Amino acid sequence: MEFPPRPELFDFHGVSMTHYFTDTWERVQTFKARPDDILIVTYPKAGTTWVSYILDLLYFGQTSPERLTSIPIYDRVPFLEIARLPMHSGVERAENLPTSPRIIKTHLPVQFIPKSFWEQNCKIVYVARNAKDDVVSYFHFDCMFMIEPDPGDWNSYLKRFMEGKVAFGSWYDHVNGWWKKKQTYSNLHYMFYEDMTEDCAKELDKLCSFLGLSPSLEEKKQIINEVQFDNMKNNDMVNCSTNPRMNLKISPFMRKGKVGDWKNHFTVAQNEEFDEDYKRKMKDPTLHFRTDICDGRGIMIVTLRHYYGS
Ligand code: PPS
């Protein structure tokens, strides 16, 4: 398949963007949110698809199970600011969602969120992932996704990530901006990829309590099973195998799904430089990220204990 040329990054109101995310800007900004809309917000590669699938299952898994096998997750949970003409834009897809609630995804930094979401006091779920694993995941993604700017080699990519010269700008500004918003906007649930990996059941409970949902124990077990990495990787409706712009031979969308994979990519020198820079940018002691957690066996035991007792 012939892929179109990769887009250029440009400065858009202080944030690096490509035209794919700004072409429908007016329509994004004037989007009419409804009070029961739920917005999933992430910096790219933080676990958007994982949480999108969980929310979709929570709301529609029991009532419309046929959705799960017939509609790809990116159509069930549209990406608000994407514009890949002549296809329907993210805004159009969101507007045409037949569901209630509508679950919508965005990667926008907090200052770019359409004002109707605030006016309608919509529930917002923010997912954050530690910067080191995020940049590794983003690098592999940019290598294989032809609508992303050319990533170049790993070393230059890492530098550009630190400078915020990737689509959606600075990871540091994004996670901090949303963390700060949480202090004044109570309908915001801020969650971490690492916590999900460590104890998905606990995070699911917290999410349900935020959303005001009380699924049965059986339903929760089903969801936990359904959203396990291997099950999602083998599920064509969520693993992006239906997306023609992704060259999955270069890297799968569901790549490793691990905390700590950065250790396989960062050299000692890169790690030292990254840590120095990180300390300068991440001054808020209340926002803490983990770049390591216990191993997979530990995780499974934690999850099983949560449901079955020790
Ligand atoms: S995107 O393109 O921004 O929407 O990507 P996003 O979905 O945010 O992030 C993709 C990364 O999340 C991993 N992932 C998971 N990890 C663990 N468990 C589950 N169930 C899961 N689902 C998605 C996915 O593998 C990507 O991370 P990497 O590190 O590249 O594997």
Side-chain angles (χ1 to χ4, degrees):
M1 161 163 194
E2 187 94 350
F3 294 112
R6 285 177 177 266
E8 294 294 325
L9 271 183
F10 55 87
D11 182 275
F12 187 73
H13 305 293
V15 177
S16 294
M17 292 288 250
T18 74
H19 75 90
Y20 285 116
F21 309 121
T22 59
D23 278 353
T24 51
W25 199 245
E26 264 313 298
R27 290 200 62 184
V28 169
Q29 288 304 305
T30 52
F31 181 77
K32 286 193 172 50
R34 296 181 195 149
D36 65 343
D37 284 346
I38 300 172
L39 193 61
I40 298 174
V41 189
T42 62
Y43 187 78
K45 312 321 290 177
T48 332
T49 315
W50 195 0
V51 171
S52 299
Y53 193 28
I54 291 176
L55 255 65
D56 190 66
L57 285 167
L58 276 170
Y59 282 98
F60 310 115
Q62 304 292 313
T63 50
S64 353
E66 69 289 348
R67 279 164 65 82
L68 308 180
T69 50
S70 58
I71 310 175
I73 191 71
Y74 47 76
D75 285 334
R76 278 181 262 158
V77 179
F79 181 7
L80 187 65
E81 60 272 21
I82 189 105
R84 279 165 43 196
L85 306 170
M87 291 163 67
H88 289 299
S89 67
V91 170
E92 284 167 319
R93 286 166 194 232
E95 283 170 350
N96 292 332
L97 272 181
T99 57
S100 181
R102 302 183 298 189
I103 306 171
I104 300 166
K105 119 175 189 185
T106 178
H107 290 314
L108 293 175
V110 67
Q111 70 274 21
F112 286 171
I113 293 298
K115 68 175 188 314
S116 61
F117 284 100
W118 308 123
E119 288 166 353
Q120 298 294 341
N121 197 30
C122 294
K123 285 196 165 62
I124 300 181
V125 176
Y126 186 82
V127 193
R129 184 180 194 182
N130 81 76
K132 291 180 181 177
D133 284 322
D134 201 295
V135 61
V136 167
S137 180
Y138 210 171
F139 173 67
H140 288 286
F141 180 72
D142 283 1
C143 289
M144 66 85 158
F145 197 20
M146 301 305 153
I147 73 156
E148 286 287 308
D150 184 354
D153 63 51
W154 161 243
N155 193 49
S156 67
Y157 190 84
L158 183 59
K159 285 206 158 60
R160 273 181 282 121
F161 178 90
M162 287 159 63
E163 291 163 5
K165 299 264 167 51
V166 290
F168 296 99
S170 159
W171 174 93
Y172 312 86
D173 291 348
H174 207 283
V175 297
N176 275 305
W178 279 99
W179 183 252
K180 208 159 166 234
K181 188 73 188 178
K182 190 172 91 80
Q183 321 309 323
T184 54
Y185 186 76
S186 58
N187 248 355
L188 170 58
H189 181 64
Y190 198 108
M191 48 196 302
F192 295 90
Y193 179 97
E194 294 73 28
D195 295 345
M196 297 262 297
T197 308
E198 188 173 60
D199 190 346
C200 192
K202 187 170 160 196
E203 293 310 304
L204 177 64
D205 280 348
K206 288 202 262 181
L207 195 52
C208 287
S209 138
F210 169 70
L211 297 168
L213 299 175
S214 356
S216 67
L217 184 60
E218 202 43 50
E219 211 181 304
K220 284 197 282 186
K221 278 195 234 167
Q222 270 174 21
I223 293 175
I224 295 288
N225 180 52
E226 191 71 32
V227 305
Q228 272 181 32
F229 180 80
D230 288 339
N231 288 342
M232 282 184 62
K233 192 176 173 71
N234 292 324
N235 179 342
D236 286 346
M237 289 296 117
V238 295
N239 64 13
C240 289
S241 57
T242 49
N243 189 325
R245 302 283 172 94
M246 291 187 183
N247 187 342
L248 301 178
K249 287 191 195 118
I250 296 177
S251 175
F253 179 81
M254 297 289 300
R255 195 183 57 88
K256 286 202 180 168
K258 292 227 159 19
V259 179
D261 185 41
W262 63 271
K263 290 177 202 157
N264 299 315
H265 292 76
F266 282 58
T267 64
V268 172
Q270 284 169 344
N271 195 36
E272 281 171 6
E273 196 185 330
F274 193 91
D275 285 347
E276 273 307 304
D277 180 66
Y278 190 90
K279 263 188 247 150
R280 281 194 294 274
K281 288 175 177 152
M282 300 294 286
K283 294 269 189 234
D284 185 344
T286 64
L287 179 56
H288 174 67
F289 284 89
R290 293 188 293 160
T291 52
D292 221 343
I293 55 168
C294 60
D295 65 17
R297 204 175 148 270
I299 294 158
M300 190 47 79
I301 291 168
V302 168
T303 302
L304 291 174
R305 273 204 194 122
H306 188 88
Y307 281 140
Y308 299 100
S310 35

